[in-house]
């Protein structure tokens, strides 16, 4: 770094060379300062965006700036190609890719991990570098804002919330509970070749059957009890009459 206004360079201050002890202390501190351990970072780029894909990489901006010997801030540059953490075991995973401007934690390996990143196998260090920012690993979720899509665990239970959609995709889905309630403010549609209900069924509302283009039949194993009336092809079951043959008088409605 260039000299500052007080005549000393870089990280040195005006006490760094006033004694042999101070000079040795300065050198030791500089060696320690070069060993990166962990720091807060901000995501500046992400290779993945929530799709079904292998774990990706992020570009990170360390958030705690460096200081020179005169306490002038020296921001870090962006570090690229850093693997990020995903909860995954074998082929089972929770896919939550980092988003731009997320704040998280970067930890730095004590050896060069570039060969392992490239091969995914046990490898020798890619170089002799130690505790370098290039060998970082990203863990997200620090100091971030209020989520709008989430799974929430609380004393009231578990809540799954999405402002867009929730999709369950599996060859078999089972729900086991004492009570199950579905509340839909607009409509509910079930598309299936067969629909079976094992148990008493109560319909609070109108029922339309066979209204699609193909129509449809209905088969029921009675008895069927109707409190009011049944209308078939425009004819009332409880109010219809028959014409008498011969006498010409009509019958009374059924009683």
């Amino acid at each position: 770094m260039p000299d500052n206004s007080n005549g000393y360079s870089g990280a040195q201050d005006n006490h760094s060379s006033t004694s042999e002890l101070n000079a040795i202390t300065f050198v030791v501190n500089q060696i320690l300062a070069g060993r990166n351990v962990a720091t807060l970072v901000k995501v500046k780029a992400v290779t993945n965006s929530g799709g079904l894909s292998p774990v990706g990489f992020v570009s990170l901006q360390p958030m705690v700036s460096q200081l020179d010997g005169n306490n002038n801030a020296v921001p870090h540059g962006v570090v690229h190609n850093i693997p990020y953490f995903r909860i995954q075991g074998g082929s089972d995973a929770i896919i939550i890719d980092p988003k731009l401007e997320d704040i998280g934690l970067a930890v730095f390996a004590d050896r060069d991990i570039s060969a392992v990143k490239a091969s995914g196998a046990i490898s020798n260090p890619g170089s002799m570098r130690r505790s370098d920012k290039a060998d970082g690993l990203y863990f997200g979720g620090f100091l971030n804002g209020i989520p709008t899509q989430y799974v929430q665990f609380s004393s009231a239970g578990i809540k799954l919330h999405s402002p867009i959609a929730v999709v369950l995709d599996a060859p078999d889905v089972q729900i086991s509970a004492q009570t199950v309630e579905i509340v839909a403010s607009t409509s509910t549609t079930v598309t299936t070749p067969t629909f079976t209900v094992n148990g008493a069924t109560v319909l609070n509302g109108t029922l339309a059957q066979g209204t699609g283009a193909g129509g449809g039949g209905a088969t029921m194993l009675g008895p069927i009890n109707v409190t009011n009336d049944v209308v078939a092809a425009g004819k009332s079951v409880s109010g219809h009459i028959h014409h008498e043959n011969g006498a010409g008088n009509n019958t009374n409605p059924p009683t």
Side-chain angles (χ1 to χ4, degrees):
M1 294 178 57
D3 292 346
N4 61 28
S5 58
N6 289 324
Y8 47 85
S9 300
Q12 294 187 40
D13 59 26
N14 54 4
H15 299 290
S16 298
S17 58
T18 56
S19 69
E20 184 175 351
L21 175 61
N22 287 350
I24 294 174
T25 301
F26 173 77
V27 172
V28 172
N29 287 337
Q30 288 304 102
I31 293 173
L32 294 176
R35 299 184 67 84
N36 298 285
V37 180
T39 191
L40 287 173
V41 291
K42 181 168 286 191
V43 175
K44 308 307 291 185
V46 189
T47 58
N48 295 352
S49 58
L52 184 59
S53 62
V55 183
F57 300 87
V58 289
S59 296
L60 303 175
Q61 171 73 61
M63 298 186 68
V64 180
S65 296
Q66 306 167 100
L67 296 176
D68 67 11
N70 200 35
N71 289 329
N72 295 310
V74 182
H76 292 276
V78 176
V79 186
H80 302 281
N81 200 38
I82 303 299
Y84 63 81
F85 175 74
R86 173 190 286 170
I87 298 176
Q88 182 162 348
S91 59
D92 303 321
I94 298 175
I95 299 176
I96 307 177
D97 293 321
K99 302 292 193 303
L100 293 180
E101 303 301 311
D102 275 359
I103 296 175
L105 177 72
V107 298
F108 306 100
D110 65 346
R111 296 291 193 279
D112 183 344
I113 64 173
S114 58
V116 175
K117 287 163 60 177
S119 65
I122 297 174
S123 306
N124 291 333
S127 70
M128 300 304 293
R129 70 188 182 212
R130 302 286 300 273
S131 302
D132 194 278
K133 284 187 175 65
D135 300 309
L137 300 165
Y138 174 73
F139 300 84
F142 294 88
L143 302 178
N144 293 313
I146 300 174
T148 58
Q149 187 164 253
Y150 52 85
V151 178
Q152 182 180 19
F153 293 81
S154 69
S155 59
I158 302 173
K159 180 178 181 179
L160 174 61
H161 173 79
S162 173
I164 304 171
V166 176
V167 177
L168 296 178
D169 184 3
D172 184 25
V173 177
Q174 298 182 17
I175 300 175
S176 179
Q178 291 184 347
T179 60
V180 177
E181 182 179 0
I182 300 174
V183 179
S185 61
T186 303
S187 66
T188 300
T189 301
V190 178
T191 303
T192 177
T194 61
F195 189 85
T196 302
V197 177
N198 296 317
T201 303
V202 177
L203 298 176
N204 296 318
T206 60
L207 174 64
Q209 185 273 334
T211 58
T219 301
M220 297 183 182
L221 178 63
I224 298 175
N225 297 314
V226 180
T227 301
N228 293 316
D229 193 6
V230 175
V231 178
K235 297 291 191 283
S236 168
V237 172
S238 63
H240 73 279
I241 59 176
H242 295 275
H243 293 289
E244 288 278 352
N245 288 328
N249 296 321
N250 294 332
T251 62
N252 295 321
T255 58

